[in-house]
Amino acid sequence: MVPLSFAGEEWLLTEGRALYWPRENALLVADLHLEKGSFFARHGQMIPPYDSRETLERVALAIRETGARRVITLGDNFHDSDGSTRLEDHACGMLEALTKAVDWVWITGNHDEGHDPHMAARCGGTLVEEIELGGVILRHRARQGETRPELSGHYHPRLQLKIRQRMIRRPCAVVSANEGANGRPSGRMILPAFGAYTGGMSAADPAILKALQPADRIDAVVPAKGKLARFPLWQAA
């Protein structure tokens, strides 16, 4: 884990694409896309159906590493609205154990629209559209024009670098900085997708840069050898 200054306090970004909030003892993960494998299988693309197990194992590891007592997901929890009904027994047991062990909050996203109304009863946790916690807005998709501190997902940002004639792609967080109300530091952050079968888009994609406006600067950040590597993406003239 590496420290990350955001919205006037210190956070920890894990190697596994999760964000830990020490003040709230909370682990934040975005875009789990559980049961994406079974969704594609239903449509004729036969890929290994164990993505939910792998994703939940990684959540469990992040909880152990951080000691978090709360988990907040930032939307697109299942790949489709029926995903929770397709969890096989092993993955269902894993999820049930996790939601009983910690205070679990599901923030819903666009892939969760029309979600199974019995999902919370079956999987545990609490369903909300968005929440404000400790002065930070937690939602699925960054809202252009938002000036309060905000954490979101949705875009699956990836850093693309060309090193020694090789193109390197790594999931990353994208962080904007700007002077908030009354001159206090503010900012917004888009987390990388956490799910095992999630792809991504360039962190410098215009859609991401536009979503984080207004901003003074926007950077991609990734943990690298125990330190935080920061790559400028955009800066106000």
Side-chain angles (χ1 to χ4, degrees):
M1 295 185 290
V2 298
L4 169 63
S5 296
F6 172 73
E9 60 184 291
E10 291 299 310
W11 307 62
L12 293 170
L13 189 61
T14 78
E15 296 282 351
R17 306 180 224 167
L19 182 69
Y20 178 62
W21 191 354
R23 175 161 63 87
E24 298 293 336
N25 202 5
L27 183 76
L28 295 104
V29 291
D31 299 279
L32 300 179
H33 284 269
L34 298 170
E35 291 305 302
K36 185 173 182 177
S38 62
F39 174 85
F40 277 97
R42 287 199 312 179
H43 294 80
Q45 287 185 259
M46 304 308 293
I47 58 179
Y50 305 116
D51 56 303
S52 293
R53 292 189 189 190
E54 181 180 341
T55 298
L56 294 172
E57 285 171 356
R58 292 176 55 238
V59 174
L61 176 61
I63 292 172
R64 291 195 299 271
E65 287 179 338
T66 60
R69 299 306 303 158
R70 175 184 288 175
V71 170
I72 304 172
T73 73
L74 297 179
D76 286 0
N77 306 300
F78 286 85
H79 190 66
D80 64 292
S81 59
D82 297 323
S84 64
T85 68
R86 297 196 305 274
L87 272 175
E88 44 91 13
D89 289 345
H90 184 82
C92 190
M94 294 173 66
L95 182 54
E96 183 181 41
L98 288 171
T99 56
K100 285 182 177 178
V102 297
D103 176 17
W104 189 290
V105 178
W106 305 96
I107 290 175
T108 56
N110 54 293
H111 278 257
D112 303 305
E113 290 178 1
H115 61 78
D116 172 16
H118 305 294
M119 174 188 152
R122 181 181 298 109
C123 300
T126 303
L127 279 164
V128 298
E129 290 187 8
E130 64 178 57
I131 58 175
E132 181 175 354
L133 183 64
V136 180
I137 306 298
L138 310 179
R139 56 169 58 110
H140 175 59
R141 187 170 185 170
R143 184 172 296 169
Q144 186 180 358
E146 180 64 80
T147 57
R148 297 168 295 177
E150 175 196 71
L151 290 169
S152 63
H154 181 67
Y155 289 101
H156 303 202
R158 284 178 176 259
L159 182 66
Q160 300 184 174
L161 296 173
K162 192 170 185 179
I163 301 176
R164 297 176 183 175
Q165 305 304 312
R166 292 180 57 196
M167 186 62 72
I168 305 297
R169 295 179 178 86
R170 287 188 60 185
C172 67
V174 179
V175 182
S176 71
N178 66 291
E179 189 174 284
N182 302 318
R184 299 173 64 182
S186 184
R188 298 160 69 202
M189 187 186 319
I190 298 174
L191 295 189
F194 193 87
Y197 284 177
T198 49
M201 67 190 298
S202 169
D205 190 282
I208 292 178
L209 302 183
K210 181 178 179 181
L212 290 176
Q213 298 299 331
D216 296 326
R217 61 177 293 158
I218 301 174
D219 298 328
V221 295
V222 293
K225 297 181 179 179
K227 296 181 180 180
L228 187 73
R230 188 178 292 269
F231 300 87
L233 299 175
W234 181 90
Q235 188 162 346

